[in-house]
Amino acid sequence: MKAVTLNGLSKVYGKGKAIAVNKVSFEVSNGELFGLIGPDGAGKTSIFRMLTTLLLPDGGSASVIGLDVVKDHKKIRSRVGYMPGRFSLYPDLTVEENLTFFATIFNTRLAENYHLIKDIYIQLEPFKKRMAGKLSGGMKQKLALCCALIHKPAVLFLDEPTTGVDPVSRREFWEMLKQLKQQAITIVVSTPYMDEANLCDRIGLIQSGDLLTVDTPANIISAYPEQLYAVKADNMPALLKTLSAYDEVLSNNAFGEYAHVSFKDQAIEVNVVQSYLQQQGLSGIELRRTPATIEDCFIKRLSN
């Protein structure tokens, strides 16, 4: 039995005019850390809300730990943990009161499953009497995770848990997920950050409600069909414009301070490209081979 199974799951808003989730199918194995990767509006939150029984599907089916999301919604709610994208705890209750409240809802006690949240709660304990609404973004995130774990869920759903927090808190959060995975908890996480994809066992790339692919990050990257080059110049807008007009260019996308470029001729020589760019009046040119990233793969699949 898979931890999570989707078969043609669909969701439509606005009397059928806006397709948020378009016949999405994938499976998540027990104990797996699975990432659903895509930008805002890709359909990630709608999928999570259907899997946690907060939203009814308009087509297809889905099950969590063998339970149907429609027929067995009450059973599912007691067996999963859900951390929504927005902070949804009680801001006028203290850290300790929020934890006690959620433990009571699930008919358990903080002490009963303390081992699950111990490493996280240690960081929160100095602030246990502070109102949740007065916590920093990173601390709110840790408290929400503790509340989602307090009843020892079989599957933990985390909807964009690192959005809006600082880089240090992002790193800490993923370290916490690695530790939770060792306790045999299945984790399904969504994120718009492509760099977080490499921290998952497997990922699904999603855009505009359509699932583009599901595989390990390594397999998705290794399947990238062309050699990529990182190109830089003193005038980046002019470089991007020049590359777009160059007949030898197959693809050309901005990536931070570089452009990631592939060429129709896979054996093209670097000095040939450099000479062309210099002839177009560009200076300070850097050109080197670079490995593909998940973001490169995502863009490539959108263009196919």
Side-chain angles (χ1 to χ4, degrees):
M1 179 183 70
K2 297 291 184 180
V4 179
T5 301
L6 286 72
N7 289 309
L9 195 67
S10 298
K11 185 64 190 176
V12 180
Y13 296 108
K15 296 181 179 179
K17 294 181 180 179
I19 301 174
V21 181
N22 187 24
K23 299 178 181 177
V24 168
S25 300
F26 63 82
E27 294 181 332
V28 180
S29 299
N30 289 303
E32 187 174 23
L33 174 49
F34 184 91
L36 196 59
I37 317 295
D40 292 342
K44 304 185 301 295
T45 295
S46 292
I47 289 174
F48 273 50
R49 287 178 177 171
M50 286 187 281
L51 293 177
T52 54
T53 76
L54 300 177
L55 198 62
L56 287 171
D58 290 318
S61 62
S63 64
V64 178
I65 52 175
L67 301 170
D68 185 271
V69 295
V70 177
K71 298 176 184 176
D72 304 311
H73 63 278
K74 289 184 179 179
K75 292 180 181 178
I76 288 176
R77 289 176 184 177
S78 66
R79 299 291 307 280
V80 303
Y82 177 45
M83 183 174 162
R86 288 187 176 182
F87 183 68
S88 59
L89 304 183
Y90 293 95
D92 53 349
L93 294 183
T94 66
V95 167
E96 194 173 46
E97 288 168 342
N98 266 288
L99 274 168
T100 301
F101 175 76
F102 279 92
T104 303
I105 285 178
F106 289 104
N107 198 30
T108 187
R109 295 177 299 108
L110 179 60
E112 194 170 334
N113 293 317
Y114 183 71
H115 64 284
L116 278 175
I117 66 168
K118 179 182 176 182
D119 293 339
I120 311 168
Y121 188 67
I122 286 172
Q123 302 172 56
L124 283 167
E125 199 162 18
F127 313 102
K128 64 181 182 181
K129 299 299 183 183
R130 182 176 296 182
M131 296 296 178
K134 300 293 185 181
L135 295 173
S136 67
M139 286 299 176
K140 284 179 178 178
Q141 176 197 58
K142 292 179 176 71
L143 176 57
L145 183 57
C146 285
C147 290
L149 285 167
I150 197 61
H151 61 297
K152 196 178 181 180
V155 183
L156 181 62
F157 292 96
L158 308 172
D159 190 12
E160 298 194 1
T162 58
T163 298
V165 299
D166 62 273
V168 173
S169 294
R170 281 177 63 189
R171 276 198 307 273
E172 288 178 350
F173 192 85
W174 280 95
E175 285 299 320
M176 288 186 280
L177 295 191
K178 288 179 185 177
Q179 295 171 15
L180 290 173
K181 186 175 177 292
Q182 294 173 359
Q183 302 190 50
I185 296 175
T186 302
I187 302 170
V188 185
V189 58
S190 72
T191 177
Y193 300 124
M194 298 289 168
D195 60 312
E196 293 184 343
N198 293 310
L199 304 172
C200 303
D201 297 325
R202 285 190 310 133
I203 59 171
L205 299 181
I206 188 168
Q207 168 70 0
S208 301
D210 293 316
L211 191 66
L212 305 178
T213 188
V214 175
D215 209 333
T216 65
N219 284 347
I220 290 174
I221 290 171
S222 65
Y224 195 86
E226 294 98 29
Q227 172 61 55
L228 280 175
Y229 293 81
V231 189
K232 185 180 179 183
D234 291 337
N235 188 334
M236 285 302 291
L239 172 65
L240 292 169
K241 186 177 181 180
T242 300
L243 287 170
S244 295
Y246 188 20
D247 287 341
E248 293 296 326
V249 168
L250 183 63
S251 66
N252 170 35
N253 297 290
F255 273 74
E257 59 179 339
Y258 286 89
H260 278 196
V261 185
S262 64
F263 298 96
K264 295 173 184 176
D265 180 3
Q266 294 295 294
I268 195 168
E269 294 183 8
V270 169
N271 62 337
V272 171
V273 180
Q274 287 178 323
S275 296
Y276 173 80
L277 295 177
Q278 288 168 352
Q279 290 168 13
Q280 303 305 308
L282 293 163
S283 60
I285 299 164
E286 292 180 28
L287 177 61
R288 57 177 171 79
R289 290 189 172 206
T290 188
T293 66
I294 289 294
E295 191 167 355
D296 289 309
C297 299
F298 187 87
I299 292 171
K300 182 69 175 178
R301 288 184 176 272
L302 286 181
S303 63
N304 288 344

